[in-house]
Amino acid sequence: MGYLFKHTGTQLWLFAAIGFCGAFTTFSTYSLDALKLLLVGNFRVFALYVLLMNILTILMCWVGLKLSEL
């Protein structure tokens, strides 16, 4: 991120550092948490975790869009 900050424009840095890197690390954490649940054999919690995380993130994105229309 330091390299990107020093050698790119402000808008590109924001996209790369916050957008791309932020999303990548968030998804990696989500994937690791889900994998850990599978590895310990906690299938019911794994299924609930994956289902709720996907449904709730899409729902909250929709809520954000609707709130922006107010």
Side-chain angles (χ1 to χ4, degrees):
M1 277 200 222
Y3 180 85
L4 291 173
F5 178 73
K6 185 80 173 169
H7 297 287
T8 61
T10 303
Q11 296 298 322
L12 181 59
W13 181 80
L14 288 173
F15 169 77
I18 296 169
F20 178 75
C21 293
F24 184 69
T25 57
T26 301
F27 188 74
S28 296
T29 302
Y30 164 72
S31 300
L32 180 60
D33 288 344
L35 184 60
K36 285 179 184 178
L37 289 169
L38 278 177
L39 290 174
V40 298
N42 204 340
F43 303 113
R44 189 171 288 160
V45 175
F46 165 79
L48 187 62
Y49 178 69
V50 171
L51 184 68
L52 286 176
M53 285 294 286
N54 286 295
I55 290 171
L56 291 175
T57 54
I58 292 169
L59 177 64
M60 290 299 108
C61 186
W62 178 80
V63 168
L65 287 172
K66 289 300 174 187
L67 287 173
S68 71
E69 294 173 359
L70 296 178

